[in-house]
Amino acid sequence: MFGSGHTNSLRMDKPQPTSLLDIGAQNVIGKPLNRYEGPLKVSGRAFYSAEYSFPGMAYGVLVGTRQGAGRVVSIDVDAVASLPGVLDVVTDFKTFLRNPGQGGETQAPTQGVEEIAYFGQVIAIVLATSYEAARDAAIRLPVHYEDGEGRFDFAAHKHETDVPPENNTPAHFSQGNLEQAMTQAAFTLDETFTTPSQNSAAMEPHASVAMWEDDKLTLYGSYQIPTKDAMQLADALGVAKDKVRIISHFVGGGFGSKLGISPESAAAAIAARRLGRPIKAVMLRQQVFDATVRRSNTEQRIRLAADANGRLIGIGHESLVSNLPDEDYFEPAGIGTHFLYPGEHRTITHDQVRLNLLLSGSMRAPGEGSGMLALEAAMDMLAERIGIDPVELRRRNEPLVDPEKNVPFSTRSLRQCLDLGAERFGWDTRNPRPGARREGEWLVGMGMAAAARSNLLQSEEAKVRIDAGGRAIIETAMTDIGTGTYSVLSQVAGELLGLDPASIDVRMGDSDMPASGGSGGSWGACGSGSAVYLACEELRRQLAKKLGVAPEAISLRDGVASGGGRSAPLAELVGDGIEAIGTISPGKQKDAVTQASFGVHFAEVGVNAVTGEVRVRRMLGVFAAGRILNEKTARSQCLGGMTFGIGAALTEELVHDSRNGKLVNRDLAEYHVPVNADVPQLEVFFVPERDQHSNPLHAKGLGELGISGAGAAIANAVYNACGVRVRDYPLTLDKILPELPEI
């Protein structure tokens, strides 16, 4: 039996000037250690949701609507009931999910599928003894509809808008008088940019395996926030929250699309309860595109007003975004504009266009991922208009405090990122005149953009135990969606407890474990790592007491505790074992300072003078995000974000049929994410930083910083290469070719 656990709680009301990570003797924090779970993944022993199988399991295939508005009149179940292997067709118009949740605790607004909100909305699940039989019957299943009027064309309805409720940022913000600033400024810019809808396109499709034992549901699902997702599913099914357990040990990418439960989870759970056997439901790739979430398309008007020295006195960022008629979420395209640059006169707005297209929700760096494509391209245009270097323009526009809240930044190392990036990239060799550099058929140019992403903290819990053998066990409902959380938690515990991280047992992704805010919003490793830190801090106190020394006098290394002239193995000190729980929650520091991670992107591209083809030749990013907890996994996150930026700049675009809202390019053959040939050698550097306002780790979020601004750096490089300024992302060759200079 373990000794009684103690809870060590921290509410972030005050800065944490000291961190035990700075005095740990194991010397593993920050090191580029290999992935903790890597051997499991490369050997096929890391089970993803669709890989679980249980005796008596049946297979479910979802059925989506084939029109974008109206009502489902009837589903002809008898037409497929006699097909080989078919067990049942389950329809539940009231309980099925119309569209996914978004990480909250309730699901009620998104239930009910009789009324059709968008093309592909899930209305039934076909169950069979094999996947093939279920798929065959799902394709053949007749559905009868009543037609309805839908709104599918953004351009046709963009003048019909409403103001959505606040979504981590106000929909409308105004300060000073931007109109007056635009008339009085020495230099002004007024440009409109558009970005398309995008899909997260995670490698692993959404999948659920549902099984009931008496009145309790266990669901193996590909989800980012098991704690809250279990609450969502319980609410959707109308059962008590303690009757649902979600297990997500490994998630093959999410990028926001798996923050909340998706239609397959409720369908599988309802079917499993009805048939009294386990049900596996894996969304087809086309269904992932049709019926999960998209990043909203945007139309963004950027206005900049600068004085004679290039210092901004006014900034406007007015966005049109889209979503379903009764959804509150809006793409916060202007969220980074609130704090990135100065200017006493400011207008930042978001207006919603209501369309019958699939749900608009969070996708990697919601807001910054789309908004900085426009803002940073506009800054490049302003630099040219003023006649100064784009890097210098940003140096001149470094605010001393948050320009809206008038509070200090917790840390802000953007200037250091600019300087280091320009030096490493060779920015001083750039010719500012567009089209000046040519290599054969290729016009070559350089571009840059700033990066910024708000830092967030969620409430987190973690339990850490040291067993009788001196081995540590970590338990938390936190997930690892490929970001490296398994590794980071093992390193935090290893540093504080003096253990080899590889010897620590990290157990995650189970809603029955200590509650977690999950993986999303770049808060994952910092929040759950802080909870592990606090639990280990309490264990250090217990170990110090057993050793007979003060907590600050104990040293832990290689499984041995020492201090006060005495040393002992952990196994000897802990007896039958000890445990502790760590909890952290947001506090006054959230408002006392502005917390964000910053960085910069530099890109060099070639534009073919004959075909208009764009090739990214090299790219470099420099980032500052507090303490880097694992240099290898942190670098990988930045590489992934920069790759996202290449896609946003050059290839990614969801195309909706304006007649019915159907997605035209609903698979990875037609939705063009960057592939190996599109991605050159990418370089990543980190500026050393510690943020005592963020958490006791002094670390900040990093996973979404790498995408913020990345696409704009490429667009700016395209302009420098050939003189074509494309304001409609992505920069496909049909938009470049007509404007190219004559050969």
Side-chain angles (χ1 to χ4, degrees):
M1 294 289 294
F2 287 92
S4 60
H6 298 266
T7 298
N8 185 21
S9 299
L10 174 64
R11 176 183 162 92
M12 282 300 299
D13 287 326
K14 298 185 296 185
Q16 302 295 305
T18 61
S19 175
L20 291 173
L21 294 179
D22 291 319
I23 62 171
Q26 197 66 23
N27 196 30
V28 293
I29 203 69
K31 295 292 188 285
L33 302 187
N34 290 334
R35 284 184 178 270
Y36 174 93
E37 79 289 6
L40 296 178
K41 289 181 174 177
V42 300
S43 62
R45 292 177 292 145
F47 271 55
Y48 292 84
S49 298
E51 296 180 298
Y52 286 93
S53 293
F54 299 96
M57 187 173 72
Y59 298 82
V61 171
L62 303 176
V63 177
T65 61
R66 296 184 180 180
Q67 63 185 55
R71 188 174 67 88
V72 179
V73 176
S74 64
I75 299 176
D76 190 357
V77 174
D78 292 339
V80 299
S82 61
L83 292 176
V86 172
L87 298 171
D88 202 352
V89 177
V90 176
T91 62
D92 188 330
F93 286 163
K94 291 184 178 181
T95 308
F96 270 33
L97 304 187
R98 187 190 70 183
N99 42 259
Q102 279 291 288
E105 295 181 5
T106 61
Q107 189 64 43
T110 60
Q111 286 183 267
V113 297
E114 184 177 1
E115 300 295 327
I116 301 170
Y118 59 91
F119 198 107
Q121 175 181 304
V122 173
I123 54 174
I125 183 170
V126 178
L127 307 168
T129 55
S130 71
Y131 166 75
E132 291 78 10
R135 181 180 60 181
D136 178 53
I139 292 170
R140 298 192 195 191
L141 183 67
V143 179
H144 305 286
Y145 304 100
E146 180 182 289
D147 291 337
E149 291 293 323
R151 299 161 60 92
F152 309 115
D153 189 342
F154 181 83
H157 295 283
K158 72 176 187 177
H159 299 296
E160 306 163 23
T161 64
D162 60 69
V163 180
E166 183 170 328
N167 171 36
N168 292 327
T169 186
H172 280 209
F173 175 86
S174 182
Q175 174 180 296
N177 189 329
L178 180 61
E179 305 294 338
Q180 181 177 323
M182 291 291 288
T183 62
Q184 296 178 349
F187 300 98
T188 61
L189 185 87
D190 189 343
E191 295 284 348
T192 298
F193 300 83
T194 58
T195 66
S197 293
Q198 298 171 342
N199 187 275
S200 294
M203 184 181 298
E204 179 198 20
H206 296 61
S208 290
V209 176
M211 54 193 299
W212 292 83
E213 295 182 32
D214 297 325
D215 62 346
K216 181 162 185 177
L217 170 69
T218 298
L219 185 133
Y220 295 83
S222 182
Y223 290 114
Q224 296 177 229
I225 315 177
T227 298
K228 293 183 179 179
D229 295 334
M231 296 178 183
Q232 282 188 5
L233 187 53
D235 186 74
L237 298 174
V239 301
K241 289 179 171 55
D242 63 354
K243 298 299 183 181
V244 175
R245 178 187 184 191
I246 288 183
I247 296 174
S248 302
H249 292 317
F250 298 98
V251 181
F255 312 116
S257 71
K258 299 172 183 175
L259 288 173
I261 59 172
S262 295
E264 98 292 338
S265 64
I270 293 166
R273 182 163 55 183
R274 176 162 164 170
L275 266 66
R277 61 198 291 182
I279 298 294
K280 177 185 291 188
V282 181
M283 297 185 84
L284 306 176
R285 179 63 65 180
Q286 291 83 358
Q287 292 173 336
V288 172
F289 276 83
D290 282 344
T292 58
V293 295
R294 64 183 172 95
R295 190 200 297 277
S296 172
N297 62 306
T298 72
E299 181 176 300
Q300 304 174 54
R301 181 189 184 191
I302 304 290
R303 288 186 284 172
L304 302 175
D307 64 20
N309 295 317
R311 179 83 172 172
L312 287 171
I313 60 172
I315 187 167
H317 195 160
E318 297 154 284
S319 302
L320 294 179
V321 297
S322 67
N323 210 343
L324 288 163
D326 55 355
E327 291 292 331
D328 290 340
Y329 176 87
F330 66 91
E331 174 74 10
I335 192 169
T337 309
H338 284 287
F339 61 85
L340 184 53
Y341 297 121
E344 54 268 38
H345 306 286
R346 313 172 72 81
T347 296
I348 301 171
T349 63
H350 305 83
D351 291 289
Q352 192 91 273
V353 181
R354 300 297 179 174
L355 299 175
N356 292 106
L357 305 179
L358 78 148
L359 180 72
S360 165
S362 295
M363 178 175 157
R364 192 174 194 173
E368 294 95 339
S370 56
M372 296 191 74
L373 290 172
L375 177 62
E376 289 302 292
M379 287 291 286
D380 194 70
M381 298 173 74
L382 180 64
E384 183 181 50
R385 186 161 297 179
I386 297 172
I388 61 175
D389 184 88
V391 171
E392 178 60 25
L393 177 63
R394 289 164 177 84
R395 288 195 186 109
R396 295 184 188 184
N397 283 282
E398 268 290 277
L400 298 177
V401 296
D402 185 302
E404 295 176 8
K405 300 177 182 177
N406 197 33
V407 298
F409 292 95
S410 60
T411 61
R412 183 179 171 116
S413 300
L414 178 56
R415 176 109 188 203
Q416 294 90 319
C417 292
L418 287 165
D419 294 344
L420 179 60
E423 177 187 351
R424 294 275 189 171
F425 192 72
W427 183 253
D428 59 348
T429 65
R430 170 184 178 268
N431 191 320
R433 183 168 61 87
R437 180 181 169 192
R438 183 162 183 160
E439 297 177 5
E441 288 188 354
W442 294 91
L443 299 165
V444 181
M446 297 182 186
M448 60 80 54
R453 169 67 180 161
S454 298
N455 184 63
L456 304 172
L457 175 66
Q458 300 289 309
S459 295
E460 294 281 348
E461 296 180 12
K463 178 188 289 184
V464 182
R465 296 179 283 165
I466 303 176
D467 65 18
R471 181 180 176 85
I473 302 101
I474 299 170
E475 290 185 351
T476 171
M478 174 62 184
T479 53
D480 189 328
I481 60 174
T483 50
T485 312
Y486 275 106
S487 303
V488 166
L489 299 192
S490 71
Q491 284 175 266
V492 171
E495 190 68 64
L496 296 186
L497 300 180
L499 296 171
D500 179 357
S503 71
I504 296 173
D505 187 0
V506 183
R507 303 172 185 175
M508 296 199 314
D510 186 335
S511 63
D512 278 0
M513 291 180 180
S516 170
S519 185
S522 298
W523 62 64
C526 294
S528 58
S530 294
V532 169
Y533 173 103
L534 293 165
C536 291
E537 182 180 47
E538 173 57 31
L539 290 178
R540 288 174 66 96
R541 293 191 190 105
Q542 295 180 38
L543 291 168
K545 183 177 181 180
K546 291 176 180 293
L547 192 64
V549 299
E552 59 271 16
I554 195 171
S555 177
L556 300 172
R557 182 173 182 179
D558 297 331
V560 176
S562 59
R566 183 188 170 203
S567 65
L570 294 187
E572 179 182 313
L573 286 177
V574 301
D576 292 334
I578 59 175
E579 68 179 34
I581 294 173
T583 71
I584 190 166
S585 59
K588 296 178 182 178
Q589 288 299 292
K590 178 177 178 288
D591 299 315
V593 294
T594 292
Q595 299 181 32
S597 302
F598 294 92
V600 64
H601 297 278
F602 291 88
E604 179 180 282
V605 306
V607 179
N608 191 286
V610 179
T611 67
E613 177 189 2
V614 178
R615 284 289 177 190
V616 181
R617 294 159 59 113
R618 61 191 180 102
M619 200 168 175
L620 179 147
V622 181
F623 307 102
R627 186 196 303 273
I628 301 301
L629 301 172
N630 180 312
E631 188 178 348
K632 180 176 289 187
T633 59
R635 180 176 181 273
S636 292
Q637 283 296 288
C638 295
L639 294 176
M642 293 163 74
T643 302
F644 258 71
I646 294 173
L650 301 179
T651 62
E652 294 190 43
E653 177 179 14
L654 283 179
V655 179
H656 299 273
D657 189 324
S658 61
R659 297 169 299 178
N660 56 16
K662 179 181 179 180
L663 275 175
V664 176
N665 55 337
R666 50 202 281 267
D667 56 37
L668 295 178
E670 299 297 332
Y671 181 79
H672 296 150
V673 298
V675 296
N676 197 44
D678 300 312
V679 183
Q681 185 65 37
L682 307 179
E683 293 184 274
V684 172
F685 298 94
F686 296 111
V687 170
E689 190 181 69
R690 300 285 187 271
D691 191 337
Q692 60 182 284
H693 301 273
S694 59
N695 50 62
L697 306 179
H698 295 174
K700 291 193 285 191
L702 185 63
E704 293 163 308
L705 182 62
I707 183 179
S708 302
I714 295 169
N716 294 338
V718 168
Y719 175 75
N720 181 247
C722 65
V724 179
R725 177 70 71 179
V726 178
R727 297 164 178 81
D728 177 30
Y729 288 91
L731 282 66
T732 47
L733 58 86
D734 58 299
K735 301 170 187 175
I736 296 173
L737 191 58
E739 305 297 325
L740 283 176
E742 292 187 11
I743 300 174

